Amino acid sequence: MISRVADHCFWFGRYIDRAESSARLLQATRSLVFDSDIPVTHCWQPLVIVSGEEAPFVERHGREALGNGELVQEYMTWNRENMVSLATSVRAARECARAIRDQLSLELWEEMNELYLWLGRETTETLYWENREEFYRHVRRGTQLILGLVRSTMLHGEPMRFLWLGVMLERGGQTARMLDMHHHTMMRENPHDIVRMALWMSLLRACSGAEGFMKKHQGRVSAQSMIEFVLFEPAFPRSIRYTLKAAAEQLGGIWGEPSHTSRARLASLIAWLDSQKTELEVAQIHAVLTQIVDEMAAICSRVAEEIQGPPRVPKASVGTPPPSQTQSQSA
Amino acid sequence: MCLVLQVVPNARNGVSTSYQPLAGTYDEMVQSDGSPRAHTKRIHALLDSTPAREFARYQSLAELSLYNQGVTFSVYSDKQGTEKIFPICLVPRVISAVEWAKVERGLVQRIRALNCFLDDMYGEQKILQQGIIPADLVLGAKQYETSLRGMKAPGGVRIPIAGIDLIRDPDGTFRVLEDNVRTPSGVSYVVENRLVTKRIFRENIEMSSVRSVEQYPLELAHTLRSVAPEGVSDVNMVVLTPGIYNSAYFEHSFLARHMGIDLVEPSDLFVDDDTVFVRTTHGPRRVHVIYRRIDDDYLDPKFFRPDSLLGVPGLMSAYARGRVTLANAPGNGCADDKAVYPFVPDMVKYYLGEEPSLAQVDTFVCAREDDKKYVLEHLEELVVKAVDEAGGYGMLMGPQSTAAQREEFRRRIIAEPRKYIAQHRIELSCCPTWDPARERLSPRRVDLRPFILTGPEGSWVLPGGLTRVALVEGSYVVNSSQGGGSKDTWVEREAIT
């Protein structure tokens, strides 16, 4: 497929999933603030940090404001200069969708367009002020519908594979950052068991894993089991291992041959993650997560380069070069 | 029809009941006494039984559906990327089978003549040597590309896709107002408008007597394939768009999607050894046919505009060697130049040896001394147009103009007579159109842009075309950028005899 289109597909997937996880995280944090007995600042601050927005937020509103839930929500929902706000993500996703309009099914495009138009309406702003839960729920449902339509109405060919690759890499990265943040709060606060429990549950809720976790562990909650669930659980669709495996599957489908660097590095990352399982210590989790997040970023930039295809015309086969002639440009 | 007959007790209470045609114009729906024409009886009866409130609801449903589907155009000059829908009026414009057959013949004839003219202009230039058209009028125009002389179009077709603007005078005669043989747009609205009409009128009218328009993309794909360079078995075709900020981007993606071919931007293409390739994830892939929706100037910076960063360097060289087809051919602008338009009937006679079957509008060419004199003396009666402006800009509507505007145009015409033509204002035909302020139907002026596809084997005409309507009361300007809207155009299926 056309390189530019592949790139847009990849980013469309990332933006949509980013919008969904932001909405989910905002919702989970609101719930945490309500009754967890954790200082308000320590609820909202991590959310800003996870999003990589601490510096611009503090510059704009001051450090004090990290405890101001309304300001944080406003910034993470509406701010156009915040590159990861809900509004920015939805707008960027729609922009990508327009550029790849000919690749998307009509139903998929309509849902994308309606979500975008909905977010711009005055009545939506009113809803935001009057019923915050319903507002976040609407965003979640809109993005979930879009992701469902990707799987159920698009041809399962290269464009969908790139799109889903974007979804999975974004999702894995988000899970890793959230886990890291919660771990950090836990280490710093060293809170009471009840609070600790609330924090872990909040993490699970933010990645839609609370029910799945309980099914696996029948109510026995420990830091070790939580971390293992979020990192390794092969059946949990937002665990880091699951998203990496799913991303690897898409990459395999796109590039038949294993010569692409992105495929090789992703395979090594999965192998490395698996090797951590036996000796994982809660205290070392930050190092593990950092390694994962950095390596995922590196893989994403490899993908961006590989999308451009082999650079030169193979002189011998001017005409239609068969796909098998593909070579990695930096093998 | 049964449904319509059943609601007769409520009839004579609908949106069309009190409709009055505009005096001095031809009305597409009703005769001067307000009764329907032979081919509009069914739709008239339906409107007659549709109360205003219900019709208003249909209208808002239609607009919402277009908006939600992103059937929009971007507004030029707006950096925010504002998108607008091209407003639709649900009252269709209906054309009888007999009228349409005549229009269709005339369009095909006209395209044949224009194609001959272009071949001639970039070849021997016989018609100029014969003195039928003043040579400097064509060769001196900036739309004429001297450097293209000698290049042949694959399959001999320079105008695979044409859009010819027609208007209807008070006698009901269709006349050509303007030719578009470069990159005519609007066809996606024809297909989308029909879908909206079908969705909204579904329960109320059976449309089996209306000719379908949805086959356009397939016919277009067939046409593009038929003009591929010779000797290519597996033709790779693309639609070339300037990008998502172009006002017609919706249409570009619409056509690519419905033909199932790739939509590319200039940066996706490159040329190596006079062969065009598209960059793909699996390496370069050869391109044989480009349906380009980009102006000549931005096709190839090496050839047309060295200062331009846009375009595909080397594209014209590949074209010149016959390695790629550009649809439409570059350089076509000299055939749809407003200053050349008055000579199209002469082209039909000269190249085809036939009488033109489509009428057009008498035109004064200011480049001719006598014409210029007449125009300057009658500015308040005439419509003056700059030959290189489109979209309804650069126009003087004499009868509605102020003295200052006329003075401005007088000055401009004297300075650059070649740039101006003038015509008597034609009272465009009207069609009943939803008037939201009054909540009823009012007569509004319309034009028609049929689309003609041409391959080596001949032409195919999309039944109907884009009907544009001047939504503002009293307006003659139908352009989308200036308060125009559109209507579904129904061509009556031929009666079986």
Side-chain angles (χ1 to χ4, degrees):
Chain A
M1 67 184 294
I2 292 170
S3 304
R4 175 185 51 83
V5 175
D7 193 54
H8 282 309
C9 286
F10 180 71
W11 278 99
F12 176 72
R14 292 196 67 168
Y15 286 131
I16 283 296
D17 204 73
R18 188 176 292 175
E20 197 212 329
S21 34
S22 301
R24 200 185 274 287
L25 186 57
L26 284 160
Q27 225 176 355
T29 309
R30 277 172 57 80
S31 150
L32 183 70
V33 171
F34 187 67
D35 58 1
S36 72
D37 205 22
I38 298 173
V40 177
T41 312
H42 299 158
C43 294
W44 290 109
Q45 184 180 14
L47 193 148
V48 180
I49 297 172
V50 165
S51 314
E53 284 293 314
E54 190 182 13
F57 180 85
V58 168
E59 191 182 324
R60 172 178 280 260
H61 296 296
R63 188 152 289 280
E64 298 289 287
L66 284 166
N68 184 335
E70 277 305 313
L71 269 183
V72 171
Q73 287 182 74
E74 193 274 334
Y75 183 77
M76 291 303 299
T77 304
W78 298 108
N79 195 299
R80 284 281 173 83
E81 285 157 42
N82 173 0
M83 294 315 288
V84 297
S85 75
L86 271 182
T88 308
S89 300
V90 169
R91 193 184 168 87
R94 201 264 187 169
E95 189 107 321
C96 281
R98 228 162 95 75
I100 53 171
R101 175 65 191 88
D102 56 319
Q103 304 293 325
L104 307 179
S105 66
L106 177 63
E107 291 155 82
L108 171 52
W109 161 251
E110 276 181 356
E111 285 309 326
M112 179 67 252
N113 203 39
E114 284 188 31
L115 178 64
Y116 166 77
L117 295 171
W118 175 83
L119 206 55
R121 265 181 218 131
E122 268 179 39
T123 47
T124 302
E125 212 187 315
T126 312
L127 179 70
Y128 174 82
W129 290 110
E130 290 176 356
N131 191 345
R132 197 67 56 85
E133 285 300 301
E134 185 54 32
F135 172 85
Y136 291 135
R137 184 159 163 270
H138 189 107
V139 175
R140 269 203 297 115
R141 290 177 65 162
T143 49
Q144 286 162 348
L145 191 48
I146 287 166
L147 291 176
L149 285 167
V150 166
R151 304 291 292 191
S152 65
T153 65
M154 265 180 90
L155 281 182
H156 283 215
E158 234 183 306
M160 196 216 71
R161 286 189 179 281
F162 273 111
L163 204 162
W164 209 251
L165 177 69
V167 170
M168 283 301 146
L169 289 177
E170 178 72 26
R171 189 174 290 177
Q174 181 75 7
T175 303
R177 284 190 299 270
M178 284 198 299
L179 178 55
D180 196 23
M181 211 49 244
H182 273 74
H183 172 68
H184 182 73
T185 310
M186 220 79 81
M187 300 298 275
R188 188 183 55 192
E189 300 282 313
N190 194 17
H192 185 272
D193 277 354
I194 294 174
V195 176
R196 197 179 283 272
M197 166 90 170
L199 270 173
W200 285 120
M201 290 309 292
S202 165
L203 167 67
L204 286 177
R205 265 196 295 275
C207 55
S208 195
E211 289 171 46
F213 177 84
M214 289 310 166
K215 281 198 174 68
K216 282 271 167 191
H217 294 276
Q218 283 97 39
R220 289 185 297 275
V221 180
S222 72
Q224 187 78 23
S225 61
M226 290 266 191
I227 289 170
E228 282 188 11
F229 184 79
V230 172
L231 265 179
F232 304 117
E233 177 52 50
F236 172 44
R238 281 168 197 272
S239 77
I240 291 168
R241 189 173 191 285
Y242 181 98
T243 56
L244 293 180
K245 286 289 274 186
E249 189 193 322
Q250 300 307 332
L251 270 183
I254 292 164
W255 284 301
E257 288 175 24
S259 59
H260 284 73
T261 322
S262 60
R263 270 192 81 182
R265 285 182 78 159
L266 189 51
S268 319
L269 179 61
I270 294 169
W272 178 82
L273 181 63
D274 285 345
S275 74
Q276 299 298 307
K277 193 170 178 181
T278 45
E279 61 215 45
L280 187 76
E281 282 180 41
V282 175
Q284 257 91 65
I285 186 74
H286 176 68
V288 172
L289 290 168
T290 305
Q291 168 74 9
I292 292 171
V293 169
D294 289 353
E295 186 57 16
M296 282 176 83
I299 290 167
C300 282
S301 21
R302 290 303 310 149
V303 169
E305 285 168 34
E306 286 163 2
I307 275 178
Q308 298 308 316
R312 277 197 307 277
V313 186
K315 284 280 180 192
S317 64
V318 169
T320 340
S324 61
Q325 297 237 334
T326 305
Q327 277 187 338
S328 167
Q329 53 194 8
S330 66
Chain B
M1 273 315 290
C2 294
L3 229 155
V4 173
L5 289 175
Q6 278 167 5
V7 292
V8 161
N10 293 331
R12 308 303 303 163
N13 191 22
V15 273
S16 66
T17 307
S18 57
Y19 177 75
Q20 283 301 317
L22 186 66
T25 67
Y26 179 88
D27 195 280
E28 300 284 340
M29 176 88 66
V30 300
Q31 308 178 66
S32 49
D33 64 357
S35 64
R37 298 183 181 277
H39 61 281
T40 58
K41 285 206 170 86
R42 281 158 36 112
I43 184 68
H44 190 269
L46 173 68
L47 294 170
D48 226 6
S49 64
T50 307
R53 183 175 298 173
E54 195 177 334
F55 194 88
R57 195 172 60 87
Y58 286 160
Q59 269 297 132
S60 56
L61 279 176
E63 279 160 26
L64 184 66
S65 130
L66 289 176
Y67 195 58
N68 281 342
Q69 286 184 40
V71 184
T72 53
F73 64 93
S74 316
V75 183
Y76 283 120
S77 78
D78 186 337
K79 291 210 171 61
Q80 297 284 314
T82 302
E83 296 158 30
K84 285 188 173 172
I85 60 165
F86 192 17
I88 180 178
C89 164
L90 282 175
V91 178
R93 190 255 194 99
V94 191
I95 303 174
S96 78
V98 176
E99 288 172 326
W100 181 250
K102 186 163 180 291
V103 169
E104 203 176 68
R105 273 196 307 278
L107 291 169
V108 172
Q109 180 195 52
R110 194 170 177 99
I111 295 303
R112 269 166 63 216
L114 288 169
N115 199 68
C116 290
F117 172 71
L118 282 166
D119 264 345
D120 196 15
M121 283 313 100
Y122 293 107
E124 295 175 70
Q125 302 182 341
K126 284 185 293 188
I127 202 168
L128 305 182
Q129 287 153 20
Q130 303 266 323
I132 296 168
I133 302 176
D136 61 330
L137 196 73
V138 182
L139 304 180
K142 72 176 179 195
Q143 289 87 347
Y144 182 77
E145 278 295 340
T146 314
S147 49
L148 290 170
R149 201 163 170 200
M151 287 190 200
K152 290 199 163 50
V157 184
R158 290 183 185 269
I159 318 172
I161 304 104
I164 305 291
D165 291 350
L166 304 176
I167 57 172
R168 216 165 188 194
D169 69 17
D171 301 331
T173 306
F174 277 106
R175 290 175 182 274
V176 175
L177 184 65
E178 206 172 293
D179 303 293
N180 297 279
V181 297
R182 283 170 280 180
T183 54
S185 66
V187 74
S188 55
Y189 297 108
V190 176
V191 181
E192 289 289 346
N193 283 353
R194 177 63 53 83
L195 291 177
V196 169
T197 307
K198 279 186 184 179
R199 209 176 297 144
I200 289 179
F201 281 139
R202 184 172 300 173
E203 289 106 45
N204 294 323
I205 195 161
E206 46 134 316
M207 310 221 312
S208 61
S209 57
V210 178
R211 289 179 63 188
S212 123
V213 295
E214 68 180 354
Q215 68 276 36
Y216 181 86
L218 299 182
E219 293 286 348
L220 175 60
H222 175 75
T223 300
L224 293 173
R225 200 170 282 113
S226 76
V227 295
E230 269 178 53
V232 180
S233 54
D234 193 10
V235 180
N236 185 26
M237 312 189 285
V238 296
V239 177
L240 178 61
T241 175
I244 64 168
Y245 297 109
N246 185 269
S247 65
Y249 178 77
F250 166 75
E251 178 155 305
H252 307 160
S253 70
F254 173 95
L255 292 171
R257 192 157 36 92
H258 287 270
M259 289 192 282
I261 69 178
D262 281 321
L263 178 66
V264 304
E265 294 181 11
S267 61
D268 297 328
L269 299 177
F270 70 97
V271 179
D272 189 77
D273 192 22
D274 287 340
T275 309
V276 183
F277 293 91
V278 57
R279 289 175 230 272
T280 82
T281 50
H282 296 284
R285 180 162 174 230
R286 167 114 192 241
V287 173
H288 306 99
V289 180
I290 301 176
Y291 178 28
R292 48 93 169 209
R293 295 292 299 258
I294 283 184
D295 291 345
D296 284 3
D297 277 356
Y298 302 103
L299 276 178
D300 180 351
K302 279 189 180 169
F303 193 86
F304 290 106
R305 301 243 325 226
D307 58 321
S308 168
L309 295 171
L310 307 168
V312 185
L315 183 59
M316 287 306 295
S317 166
Y319 172 75
R321 276 189 55 191
R323 305 295 303 270
V324 68
T325 299
L326 295 173
N328 288 342
N332 278 6
C334 69
D336 63 13
D337 184 345
K338 289 189 180 76
V340 168
Y341 158 91
F343 300 96
V344 179
D346 300 314
M347 295 177 198
V348 174
K349 289 177 206 153
Y350 178 75
Y351 294 114
L352 310 179
E354 298 171 8
E355 281 302 310
S357 48
L358 267 179
Q360 60 178 46
V361 181
D362 294 334
T363 303
F364 303 96
V365 182
C366 294
R368 289 193 279 212
E369 199 52 43
D370 291 353
D371 284 13
K372 182 177 80 179
K373 189 157 173 286
Y374 181 88
V375 170
L376 291 174
E377 283 165 6
H378 297 84
L379 276 177
E380 66 289 351
E381 298 161 27
L382 297 168
V383 179
V384 183
K385 297 176 183 174
V387 296
D388 51 3
E389 298 261 11
Y393 293 101
M395 254 168 74
L396 175 77
M397 297 292 284
Q400 291 150 302
S401 63
T402 64
Q405 287 169 328
R406 287 196 294 277
E407 208 39 53
E408 167 71 15
F409 267 78
R410 179 187 310 280
R411 200 181 48 72
R412 290 201 222 164
I413 292 169
I414 292 169
E416 282 185 285
R418 167 66 183 77
K419 263 191 78 177
Y420 294 91
I421 58 155
Q423 296 162 339
H424 281 285
R425 190 176 72 183
I426 304 274
E427 286 297 334
L428 306 188
S429 62
C430 285
C431 192
T433 300
W434 178 246
D435 181 344
R438 297 196 181 83
E439 297 207 322
R440 63 172 165 84
L441 299 184
S442 302
R444 293 286 181 265
R445 293 179 176 85
V446 294
D447 77 348
L448 178 67
R449 174 177 289 181
F451 293 88
I452 306 97
L453 299 177
T454 305
E457 306 298 321
S459 294
W460 175 82
V461 184
L462 175 68
L466 180 65
T467 292
R468 297 185 298 180
V469 51
L471 294 172
V472 180
E473 186 167 14
S475 171
Y476 288 76
V477 184
V478 296
N479 303 79
S480 54
S481 49
Q482 297 193 47
S486 69
K487 284 171 169 291
D488 191 9
T489 310
W490 294 3
V491 171
E492 183 193 34
R493 205 172 277 282
E494 272 152 83
I496 300 155
T497 48

